[in-house]
């Protein structure tokens, strides 16, 4: 059977993300730099990770911009998009419908073994284990991501 990659970037996705971008207002931001980057890249601010601001374009591209403005990384990757959507659904509930259901081609996450929890990651407030950083707590990964993990673990 031929592998099919998960594709959340549909015309509806593009329209929804673009509408969210078009409706961004500076007064809703506590971080002026996040708003500036959203405007500069015409992208939806999704929050921050350990080292950078994370933004999402309407075409599904993820932009990571470090806090110092010295580095930016643009990527189009199904698993990264899924992670961004899972993390961003709290801020933008409209994005939840674009998180794909597990497909027949997906694989159980080899990092959390399908639990969705990564023991080494602790929630600062509760001290409980956090979501798996690879599968975003879903317990599964794309076939492409699974293959990469297997290749890199050898």
């Amino acid at each position: 059977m031929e592998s099919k990659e998960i594709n959340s970037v549909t015309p509806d996705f593009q329209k929804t993300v673009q509408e969210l971008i078009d409706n961004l207002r500076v007064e809703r931001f506590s971080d002026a730099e996040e708003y500036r980057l959203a405007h500069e890249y015409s992208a939806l601010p999704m929050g921050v990770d350990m080292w950078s601001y994370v933004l999402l374009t309407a075409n599904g591209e993820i932009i990571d911009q470090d806090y110092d403005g010295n580095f930016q990384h643009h990527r189009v990757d199904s698993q990264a998009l899924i992670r961004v959507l899972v993390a961003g659904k709290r801020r933008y509930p409209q994005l939840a419908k674009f998180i794909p259901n597990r497909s027949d081609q997906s694989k159980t996450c080899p990092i959390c073994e399908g639990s969705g929890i990564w023991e080494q990651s602790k929630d600062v407030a509760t001290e409980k284990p956090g979501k798996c950083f690879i599968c975003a707590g879903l317990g599964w990964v794309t076939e492409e991501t699974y293959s990469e993990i297997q290749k890199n673990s050898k």
Side-chain angles (χ1 to χ4, degrees), residues 13-140:
F13 171 92
Q14 293 173 323
K15 180 180 181 231
T16 300
V17 172
Q18 190 60 56
E19 286 174 355
L20 288 166
I21 293 167
D22 292 345
N23 288 313
L24 293 174
R25 301 291 175 258
V26 69
E27 60 273 5
R28 295 184 191 155
F29 284 81
S30 58
D31 185 339
E33 179 64 4
E34 186 182 46
Y35 179 78
R36 187 192 71 73
L37 291 169
H39 185 71
E40 178 180 331
Y41 294 120
S42 187
L44 190 61
M46 300 302 287
V48 295
D49 69 10
M50 255 174 124
W51 314 111
S52 62
Y53 293 97
V54 179
L55 301 105
L56 175 66
T57 68
N59 68 2
E61 181 181 37
I62 300 162
I63 302 168
D64 299 296
Q65 172 72 55
D66 77 354
Y67 298 127
D68 296 329
N70 298 322
F71 172 79
Q72 60 179 266
H73 178 69
H74 298 252
R75 58 195 157 125
V76 178
D77 165 336
S78 294
Q79 194 69 44
L81 178 57
I82 292 168
R83 282 193 301 271
V84 166
L85 292 173
V86 169
K89 73 180 180 180
R90 176 181 267 156
R91 189 171 183 181
Y92 307 105
Q94 306 90 317
L95 298 179
K97 68 181 179 181
F98 301 109
I99 299 168
N101 293 320
R102 184 173 182 165
S103 73
D104 292 340
Q105 292 79 28
S106 68
K107 303 288 185 187
T108 298
C109 178
I111 304 301
C112 68
E113 299 176 339
S115 71
I117 296 171
W118 189 50
E119 292 295 329
Q120 290 87 339
S121 174
K122 297 281 186 195
D123 181 296
V124 177
T126 66
E127 286 297 311
K128 292 181 181 176
K131 286 182 183 177
C132 176
F133 64 97
I134 296 294
C135 69
L138 296 174
W140 58 269

